Amino acid sequence: MKSYVAESLWSPQGWTRDARIAVDAGRVVAAQGEAGERLGRYVLPGMPNLHSHAFQRAMAGLAEKQIHPAVSNALFPDREGQKAAVRDRTSQQSDSFWTWRETMYTFANRIGPDDLRAIAAQLYVEMLKAGYTHVCEFHYLHHRPDGKPYADPAAMSLALVEAARETGIGLTLLPTLYLTGGFDGRALSERQRRFGLDVDAYLSLLQQLAKMENAALRIGVALHSLRAVPERAMREVLAAGETRAMPIHIHIAEQIGEVQDCLALRNARPVEWLLDNLPVDARWCLVHATHMSAQETQRLAQSGAVAGLCPTTEANLGDGLFPLKAYFDDSGALGIGSDSHISVSPVEELRWLEYGQRLATRHRNIAVSAANRSVGETLYAAALRGGAQAAGVAIGAIEPGARADLVVLDEAAPQLAGRDEASLVDTFLFAGNANLVRHVMANGDWAVRDFRHRDEERIAARYRETVARLASQVY
Ligand code: NGQ
Ligand code: ZN
């Protein structure tokens, strides 16, 4: 057992002075005996990242040039995306989520298991250094690009497991069921072939991975979207014994085009359809619950499910704004994810979650509650709780029984001059751009000390070599 002392330990209930933190076998335990090593002035729980497609980290920044509409027609044979883009009038003349997706598919099809491991490890180092101590991987690159399984059908999943293990970040791996290319049940396009698994293959992948579960690895279910998984397959997976206690994630209502498709083919909006037809409860995480009516917003809040919000990716992809205020007023659960990894920082996700609302409403200090008038504390607390719930792991709090995941902020940073406990979390989230995360413990081990990950040089070197090769093949 190791014993630590935090001069000030933050929890959603407030600050504790001279808090003792005892860690044994990766968990926080009741403190006894001698006070231990002093950790620093400000200690917070590590943040769960509830939505990641790790491979997309390597293409961040490569889809920020306009594609001429004439070129995009020739370049993008996937008509589903084109049609949806045209229906969504805001993107008729220009790039959209759907054109980004084609670029992403080109990139995705170059990536093999070793590449994925190299990219994910670099990403996880960056996450840890930014204060994320756990990540939920929504993983759908299952097969070889031509759609044939690898010798071990779990090869790509295992690449993610290895990357998490070598960096020390906690992982909820969500192998993703992906069957169809649209709401009408069409077959996968050529570029989507490697995503496809039938229900039996999917369940055996889950079974194989579930045997590996440990304190740092949880397995859960992901249904890619209503577009990609027919209702019957959803029901089969949810009825299978092996999924019964697992977290369940789904992409739900990110784009107007998919809301329109869902209305046209199912006579209901996506969140409405899901709530009407499946037993949505606290095990569920609805990623990009962006486009909801007032009624859907209220019903989702009441369901106990987590809204998985990815503000920097949602901004980057031109998705739209989540109805934060109404959802908060109904005590809805939420968490944050870095999704496409255009940004890897809980500070930036939470900041933009609030800023989107300020820009749209022309008011300030939106994410507050009667119990807490600090935006920073309200958002940090909400994302800890919702992120832990979506991950299906005892994280997000520094208390006996929880996994020992924590961050120590740099109390000497000029940004924190003249600040104290009352203004600390607001300053952390809203002031400046220097990273204040100095030390990071994940699963009881120090992954980051003095701003450096214990293995960052080796992991970055491997990443550079990998991405130089991949990017030169694509662009
Ligand atoms: C994904 N990403 O699965 O990587 C998706 C794009 C899709 C986001 N939705 C593909 N941000 O939704 O079909
Ligand atoms: Zn996603």
Side-chain angles (χ1 to χ4, degrees):
M1 181 167 74
K2 278 285 277 170
S3 261
Y4 303 95
V5 180
E7 196 173 312
S8 281
L9 173 66
W10 183 81
S11 81
Q13 288 73 46
W15 290 95
T16 308
R17 277 295 174 108
D18 296 321
R20 305 271 308 275
I21 304 170
V23 176
D24 190 34
R27 293 199 177 271
V28 179
V29 296
Q32 333 164 328
E34 304 266 296
E37 181 188 339
R38 184 184 174 279
L39 284 181
R41 178 153 177 204
Y42 300 120
V43 179
L44 282 71
M47 181 60 70
N49 184 334
L50 59 59
H51 193 66
S52 164
H53 308 286
F55 74 91
Q56 292 174 17
R57 169 64 185 82
M59 64 166 281
L62 294 182
E64 308 300 319
K65 279 190 187 63
Q66 192 186 27
I67 302 163
H68 191 279
V71 178
S72 91
N73 275 333
L75 258 177
F76 303 126
D78 178 356
R79 308 314 297 174
E80 186 226 350
Q82 286 298 303
K83 274 193 294 184
V86 169
R87 267 196 307 278
D88 176 0
R89 266 182 230 103
T90 57
S91 51
Q92 194 164 8
Q93 299 293 329
S94 59
D95 289 354
S96 68
F97 172 87
W98 305 102
T99 54
W100 167 84
R101 190 173 81 156
E102 294 299 331
T103 307
M104 184 271 279
Y105 282 175
T106 304
F107 199 77
N109 276 318
R110 304 294 164 117
I111 292 170
D114 291 346
D115 305 323
L116 183 58
R117 177 171 173 178
I119 295 166
Q122 173 64 23
L123 171 67
Y124 297 162
V125 165
E126 291 170 9
M127 284 187 190
L128 285 159
K129 291 171 75 169
Y132 289 120
T133 46
H134 191 92
V135 59
C136 302
E137 268 297 330
F138 198 108
H139 165 59
Y140 58 90
L141 297 188
H142 301 301
H143 296 323
R144 296 177 198 275
D146 66 3
K148 301 217 172 63
Y150 288 98
D152 179 348
M156 293 292 271
S157 295
L158 295 175
L160 294 166
V161 171
E162 276 306 303
R165 192 195 49 73
E166 69 184 315
T167 58
I169 200 166
L171 174 66
T172 296
L173 180 59
L174 306 159
T176 302
L177 186 63
Y178 201 121
L179 290 163
T180 56
F183 272 100
D184 57 5
R186 81 192 63 180
L188 300 180
S189 71
E190 204 182 302
R191 291 143 71 76
Q192 295 171 322
R193 271 201 308 233
R194 68 183 311 188
F195 316 161
L197 279 177
D198 62 29
V199 170
D200 287 344
Y202 179 72
L203 292 175
S204 57
L205 177 62
L206 277 188
Q207 250 173 18
Q208 179 183 347
L209 294 169
K211 290 193 191 114
M212 302 174 68
E213 278 194 331
N214 59 43
L217 175 65
R218 180 89 211 263
I219 306 298
V221 171
L223 309 167
H224 182 273
S225 53
L226 297 182
R227 290 176 267 130
V229 189
E231 177 177 359
R232 222 184 68 195
M234 288 192 180
R235 291 190 186 283
E236 278 170 30
V237 166
L238 299 178
E242 48 271 65
T243 69
R244 217 151 272 160
M246 289 181 177
I248 306 157
H249 291 222
I250 185 169
H251 290 130
I252 193 66
E254 184 173 14
Q255 285 284 317
I256 298 288
E258 62 189 334
V259 176
Q260 292 174 339
D261 273 350
C262 193
L263 275 165
L265 280 124
R266 299 193 184 177
N267 201 25
R269 301 169 57 84
V271 172
E272 179 187 18
W273 185 90
L274 195 76
L275 293 169
D276 283 346
N277 288 281
L278 292 169
V280 176
D281 61 14
R283 281 167 65 205
W284 287 70
C285 176
L286 276 64
V287 181
H288 312 306
T290 310
H291 297 290
M292 295 194 287
S293 66
Q295 205 197 13
E296 285 175 299
T297 306
Q298 188 180 43
R299 290 182 65 197
L300 179 60
Q302 287 166 355
S303 74
V306 176
L309 307 177
C310 309
T312 63
T313 293
E314 289 160 7
N316 184 268
L317 298 180
D319 289 342
L321 280 176
F322 175 77
L324 182 68
K325 178 84 172 70
Y327 188 73
F328 242 63
D329 288 349
D330 285 327
S331 311
L334 62 82
I336 51 164
S338 57
D339 189 355
S340 69
H341 315 302
I342 195 71
S343 168
V344 184
S345 157
V347 167
E348 211 181 358
E349 296 308 333
L350 294 173
R351 188 180 287 184
W352 279 99
L353 183 54
E354 169 73 15
Y355 279 176
Q357 308 295 318
R358 292 190 191 184
L359 288 164
T361 62
R362 288 178 255 136
H363 279 78
R364 300 188 70 253
N365 301 337
I366 310 291
V368 292
S369 69
N372 195 333
R373 290 182 296 128
S374 151
V375 177
E377 291 191 10
T378 304
L379 285 176
Y380 202 85
L384 285 174
R385 193 177 340 110
Q389 183 181 321
V393 180
I395 49 178
I398 302 171
E399 63 190 22
R403 207 172 65 196
D405 286 14
L406 57 84
V407 301
V408 184
L409 299 188
D410 180 21
E411 64 203 56
Q415 252 156 286
L416 295 183
R419 298 296 185 272
D420 60 12
E421 284 73 2
S423 52
L424 191 278
V425 183
D426 287 333
T427 303
F428 175 39
L429 294 190
F430 288 100
N433 299 93
N435 182 13
L436 298 178
V437 175
R438 180 168 191 162
H439 311 300
V440 180
M441 177 186 284
N443 203 28
D445 288 329
W446 290 110
V448 174
R449 284 227 102 152
D450 287 321
F451 307 100
R452 300 186 70 76
H453 183 272
R454 60 186 184 220
D455 208 7
E456 65 176 52
E457 285 85 6
R458 183 185 69 82
I459 288 169
R462 189 178 60 182
Y463 175 78
R464 279 194 200 94
E465 182 277 314
T466 302
V467 177
R469 183 165 36 74
L470 290 171
S472 71
Q473 282 171 16
V474 179
Y475 297 95

